[in-house]
Structures are given as structure tokens and as C-alpha cells.
Amino acid sequence: MISRRSVALAFTFAVVSGPAWSASASAVKTFDTDNDGTLDLAEVKKAATALFAKLDPDHDGTLDARELRGRLTAKELAAADPDHDGTLTLDEYLAVVEQRFNAANPDKDGTLDAKELNSPAGRALLRLLR
């Protein structure tokens, strides 16, 4: 028999995880160009490249902290900026995307599903794609 506590816990989980889960599922639908229900690194990098172009309104080929709009903390930006110029080139940005993709892919199968995207590492990756 299902207890009231079990029902309450299930409801709480659904309410708390619902928006994040639907955001993860939505990301798969949005960026999954081969319609296999998962995201591979090529699909993620394609989405990141398109976003990079949108975030670079001055078309100087770099993103600074203002253009990144909170997608990376100051500490993360500094770590991702090997030449320490305060900006990220497309290659530097894609390197961060790849690192986060790999962190979100614990089974190392080369694809991310909605469950993996809903993990803390997956949500960190999604911040770079939105």
C-alpha cells in the first residue's frame, strides 16, 4: 500500500524536478538534428557555434563577460581563457562546451539524453547553449 508520505515525496519530486526535466527534454528536441532522442558532441557544438554568433553582436570573434551574460562565472571564464585576455574565442568557447559535455556523459557513450542533461553537469552545459 502506498503511504501518504510516499505520495507527498513523489509529488514534491515532480514539482521540484519538473521544470528542469522538461528543460532537458526540450533541449534534446531543440538540438537533436538526427532525431535519435539524444545529443552527441557534434550537435552540441553546432548549437554552441550558432549561439556564439548571436552573442557576438560586435562581430569581433570573441565573447567577453558581458556578452556571455552569466553563462560562465568570472572564475570559469578565467579558467577557460588560456591567453588571459578576458575574452573567449569560438575555439575556447567550444573547448568549455566539450569539457561540460564530457562531464555530463558519465557512461562515456558519446551521447546525452534528457536524464544526463538534468544532472548538475548537464545543466551547466545547457547554460552554454541557451
Side-chain angles (χ1 to χ4, degrees):
M1 177 145 207
I2 298 175
S3 71
R4 287 183 187 168
R5 183 175 180 198
S6 296
V7 172
L9 286 173
F11 178 76
T12 301
F13 176 78
V15 169
V16 171
S17 66
W21 181 262
S22 65
S24 301
S26 175
V28 171
K29 288 180 185 175
T30 301
F31 304 127
D32 181 18
T33 57
D34 63 5
N35 298 309
D36 68 351
T38 64
L39 299 180
D40 61 34
L41 184 57
E43 290 167 328
V44 169
K45 282 187 169 184
K46 180 179 179 183
T49 299
L51 180 62
F52 185 96
K54 287 181 185 177
L55 295 177
D56 185 22
D58 57 5
H59 306 291
D60 68 350
T62 64
L63 298 179
D64 59 29
R66 182 185 52 80
E67 291 168 325
L68 285 165
R69 297 181 188 131
R71 287 173 174 83
L72 294 173
T73 66
K75 185 177 179 179
E76 291 169 333
L77 175 58
D81 181 19
D83 55 5
H84 308 291
D85 67 352
T87 66
L88 296 182
T89 65
L90 177 59
D91 288 340
E92 292 166 345
Y93 188 72
L94 292 178
V96 175
V97 167
E98 186 167 352
Q99 287 173 335
R100 290 193 177 181
F101 179 94
N102 291 332
N105 187 28
D107 59 8
K108 306 296 182 213
D109 68 351
T111 63
L112 300 176
D113 58 24
K115 182 179 177 183
E116 289 168 319
L117 288 169
N118 196 38
S119 71
R123 289 191 301 272
L125 172 64
L126 289 178
R127 277 195 303 278
L128 295 178
L129 303 178
R130 299 195 180 235

